Amino acid sequence: QVLLVESGGGLVQAGGSLRLSCAASGRTLSTTAMAWFRRAPGKGREFVAAISWSGSNTDYADSVKGRFTISRDNAKNTVYLQMNSLKPEDTAVYFCAAGSRFSRFDYDYWGQGTQVTVSS
């Protein structure tokens, strides 16, 4: 079992920044790949970014590339999502995910999400 707990969401004005954190506990060896997804109101879950265990491999959705940065600190069992130049369309519940495969879709564990709201 892996427990993922997101934090750092909140309300921010367009153009602002937030840093999300996701702390993993339990079977952390199952977190070789981690990712962030988001779900906006009325929409399905959307891939945002992924990172390999070492951090040497990252992947970003086109919609966030150049604005968001995913990173991880394995000593703290934590993955981060630095979000800059936020836009109202970034408003969503953001979820972190963990699994053994670096991909845009295949993850075994999911957090409960943290709300990010970007005002105009």
Side-chain angles (χ1 to χ4, degrees):
Q1 181 185 12
V2 174
L3 177 65
L4 304 175
V5 180
E6 302 96 334
S7 62
L11 176 64
V12 64
Q13 291 184 325
S17 298
L18 284 173
R19 187 167 92 150
L20 306 183
S21 299
C22 174
S25 61
R27 190 179 175 89
T28 54
L29 290 178
S30 298
T31 64
T32 52
M34 298 192 72
W36 288 94
F37 291 76
R38 66 188 182 186
R39 184 165 58 215
K43 300 177 67 176
R45 189 133 61 189
E46 175 190 19
F47 170 79
V48 176
I51 189 167
S52 62
W53 185 87
S54 68
S56 61
N57 293 310
T58 57
D59 188 23
Y60 297 93
D62 289 343
S63 59
V64 306
K65 190 173 296 183
R67 300 188 297 120
F68 292 10
T69 302
I70 188 170
S71 62
R72 65 190 296 171
D73 184 341
N74 291 336
K76 297 180 179 180
N77 295 317
T78 300
V79 64
Y80 305 95
L81 185 68
Q82 178 67 46
M83 305 185 295
N84 298 326
S85 301
L86 283 162
K87 304 174 180 179
E89 51 262 46
D90 295 319
T91 295
V93 177
Y94 283 72
F95 302 87
C96 68
S100 59
R101 183 176 175 181
F102 177 72
S103 75
R104 292 189 171 200
F105 25 79
D106 294 329
Y107 291 91
D108 301 312
Y109 304 98
W110 297 82
Q112 294 300 305
T114 185
Q115 177 71 46
V116 172
T117 302
V118 184
S119 63
S120 300

